[in-house]
Amino acid sequence: MKILLITKRIPFPPNSGYPIVVYNTIKGLLQLGADITLFSLNPTKGKIDIEDIYDPIFEQIKFHTYDLDTDVNVWSAFFNIFTNESYNVSRYYSEDAARQLENLLRENAFDVIQFEGLFVVPYLDVVKANSNAKLIYRAHNIEFTLWERLSHSEKFLVRRKYLAFLAQRLKAYETDQINRFHHIFAISEPDRQSILMFGCEVPMSVFPVAIDLEKYKVDKTKTSFPTLFHLGAMDWRPNQEGLEWFLDDIWPDIEKLNKDLRFYIAGKNMQKHFFEYDSENLIVEGEVFDAVEFMNSKAIMIVPLISGTGMRVKIIEGMAMKKCIIATTTAAEGINCRHGHDILIADSADEFYRSILQCIINPKRWVEIGENARRTVENDHGVHLISSKMLKIYEGLVSA
């Protein structure tokens, strides 16, 4: 089975949600004997130097990349208003990248070509013109919903209107493109329902985030208590606004619960203002070298998202590390978890306060939830389980 994956960024190293999802897809399919080719855009923001990739998985694939400037330009954003294009999506399209992809397709025959997310869909026309492969679209999230939620939470009127405009354009683009593929992969059941509402008429399957469970080894002798932590990419606006809400409205009361309680914040591209909070019990670490080791050393994971779509990879990783996770309904959306069993759901300052208090007073409670969380991940998110199901769909499409 010859498979081409087209991605909006290079998934090496797998250090945040999108790269982890793509990386584990590649790893799982390789283990099943698939021949994998990867065509990745390499945006200026977060640009990866190929020479710095040292990974045995990388050595097993054929790799092609194109450096692309996706930075927001005020003038191009303004003039885009007078077109019918989505500015969010059009920034990822380059004629030169399309030509490079066209050459790849002319020189190679693929059984399946998988578009990893909406931002590489602009290359669909060149793929259709140069390949007879079966085409898969994997929706990592429902992009327009993210921007729609951001617009609702924006206080500045002009910015709120513009965010709503971007959301509308994205929705139109997603709706127009969805039926141009042979199969759709949604990352969660709520996302599948949203895609159906677009008028999707092609077959669709749900494939949640897959992780390599062997990577997530728990050593409770290294876990300090009482500790809270938050881990996530801090250049992603939903992470920023959720953490700001927690620090402004919830943390001042939480830190009074126990003089030894510490709250650790980590993640790449940590914004400057998080270092300026006046709290002795708040430790802002920025990007950590080993996310798994960081999670292992802390007890309770806080995920206070109030916007965003898709499936939170960091929650799946936290569950794999047997963490008690206290998260909003939005953060846990799409994950097969139950409040009070393998996660604690908190949507208000009072609910966060009571959940954290419960864990501090009764440590056995958070340990039990963490154990249940690991079992949930083992049942639903193992990389071999998900890759095997994915390969069966590929085989069915190719043989049809």
Side-chain angles (χ1 to χ4, degrees):
M1 181 70 66
K2 294 191 68 175
I3 301 166
L4 171 64
L5 301 180
I6 304 176
T7 69
K8 69 175 183 179
R9 54 179 291 194
I10 297 172
F12 298 89
N15 56 3
S16 60
Y18 182 90
I20 288 171
V21 171
V22 176
Y23 178 92
N24 285 329
T25 297
I26 294 171
K27 185 173 186 176
L29 291 172
L30 284 172
Q31 290 172 349
L32 295 171
D35 182 329
I36 303 293
T37 300
L38 179 65
F39 181 88
S40 294
L41 301 176
N42 194 10
T44 47
K45 184 179 180 181
K47 185 176 180 179
I48 301 295
D49 187 342
I50 309 303
E51 300 299 321
D52 292 338
I53 299 176
Y54 302 97
D55 192 304
I57 298 297
F58 186 72
E59 303 301 323
Q60 298 177 54
I61 66 174
K62 301 175 186 70
F63 179 69
H64 304 266
T65 187
Y66 181 82
D67 294 345
L68 184 67
D69 183 1
T70 59
D71 290 347
V72 174
N73 179 284
V74 174
W75 285 111
S76 61
F78 174 74
F79 287 117
N80 173 263
I81 294 173
F82 304 101
T83 72
N84 293 319
E85 295 182 337
S86 164
Y87 184 61
N88 302 71
V89 174
S90 63
R91 289 187 294 124
Y92 283 83
Y93 182 77
S94 158
E95 291 287 351
D96 289 339
R99 278 191 290 271
Q100 184 175 330
L101 178 58
E102 180 180 343
N103 291 334
L104 173 63
L105 295 169
R106 287 180 173 179
E107 294 169 5
N108 299 271
F110 297 100
D111 298 305
V112 171
I113 299 176
Q114 185 158 305
F115 291 73
E116 294 285 348
L118 189 68
F119 298 112
V120 292
V121 172
Y123 297 94
L124 179 58
D125 286 336
V126 72
V127 170
K128 280 179 167 284
N130 294 280
S131 175
N132 293 318
K134 299 301 181 181
L135 307 179
I136 310 282
Y137 169 58
R138 172 148 63 173
H140 286 245
N141 48 49
I142 308 301
E143 294 292 344
F144 89 87
T145 304
L146 167 61
W147 291 88
E148 199 170 63
R149 289 176 177 176
L150 287 173
S151 71
H152 293 160
S153 63
E154 177 60 50
K155 295 182 175 63
F156 182 47
L157 178 61
V158 174
R159 183 173 175 81
R160 183 167 69 247
K161 293 286 188 183
Y162 184 63
L163 289 173
F165 170 77
L166 291 177
Q168 184 180 17
R169 282 279 178 90
L170 269 173
K171 184 176 183 179
Y173 185 76
E174 287 184 87
T175 304
D176 288 344
Q177 301 298 317
I178 208 71
N179 286 315
R180 300 184 67 201
F181 297 86
H182 295 102
H183 203 102
I184 308 293
F185 291 167
I187 210 159
S188 68
E189 181 56 30
D191 280 12
R192 189 183 79 86
Q193 295 296 329
S194 294
I195 294 170
L196 284 173
M197 291 176 67
F198 291 170
C200 181
E201 298 173 352
V202 300
M204 187 163 24
S205 303
V206 175
F207 284 103
V209 173
I211 62 172
D212 184 354
L213 291 161
E214 304 231 338
K215 176 183 173 182
Y216 300 91
K217 299 186 184 300
V218 179
D219 183 354
K220 291 183 179 178
T221 64
K222 296 182 179 179
T223 302
S224 59
F225 180 83
T227 50
L228 311 177
F229 74 96
H230 175 83
L231 178 62
M234 297 313 298
D235 55 355
W236 192 51
R237 190 172 171 190
N239 278 343
Q240 291 179 34
E241 67 175 9
L243 189 54
E244 287 165 359
W245 170 58
F246 186 85
L247 290 174
D248 291 338
D249 297 353
I250 304 171
W251 174 242
D253 291 326
I254 298 295
E255 67 176 331
K256 297 173 186 175
L257 288 174
N258 186 314
K259 63 181 178 61
D260 297 320
L261 179 64
R262 299 289 184 271
F263 181 31
Y264 294 83
I265 302 173
K268 66 176 184 177
N269 298 315
M270 185 64 66
Q271 305 300 296
K272 181 181 177 181
H273 64 279
F274 288 115
F275 292 95
E276 298 171 351
Y277 275 87
D278 183 20
S279 170
E280 293 183 2
N281 294 347
L282 175 67
I283 298 94
V284 182
E285 298 204 358
E287 187 168 5
V288 292
F289 176 73
D290 188 330
V292 172
E293 188 62 33
F294 174 79
M295 286 190 283
N296 185 72
S297 67
K298 312 295 182 285
I300 300 162
M301 185 176 188
I302 303 297
V303 193
L305 283 187
I306 51 181
S307 67
T309 66
M311 186 175 288
R312 306 278 70 78
V313 177
K314 281 293 179 282
I315 290 184
I316 305 300
E317 291 190 297
M319 294 174 77
M321 290 301 295
K322 300 185 179 181
K323 298 294 120 178
C324 175
I325 296 164
I326 306 176
T328 59
T329 300
T330 296
E333 190 175 66
I335 300 173
N336 182 26
C337 55
R338 286 187 288 131
H339 171 58
H341 174 69
D342 47 14
I343 197 170
L344 293 176
I345 299 297
D347 288 317
S348 67
D350 183 58
E351 288 173 351
F352 266 103
Y353 182 89
R354 285 188 281 112
S355 295
I356 293 169
L357 178 62
Q358 176 187 155
C359 292
I360 293 174
I361 292 174
N362 183 11
K364 288 184 179 179
R365 177 67 173 146
W366 69 261
V367 171
E368 177 187 10
I369 288 175
E371 294 287 345
N372 292 338
R374 172 72 186 203
R375 282 191 284 273
T376 296
V377 170
E378 289 173 351
N379 291 334
D380 294 348
H381 298 277
V383 66
H384 182 74
L385 171 72
I386 291 173
S387 298
S388 297
K389 292 180 179 178
M390 198 173 282
L391 189 60
K392 284 184 180 178
I393 288 178
Y394 296 158
E395 291 170 344
L397 285 170
V398 171
S399 63

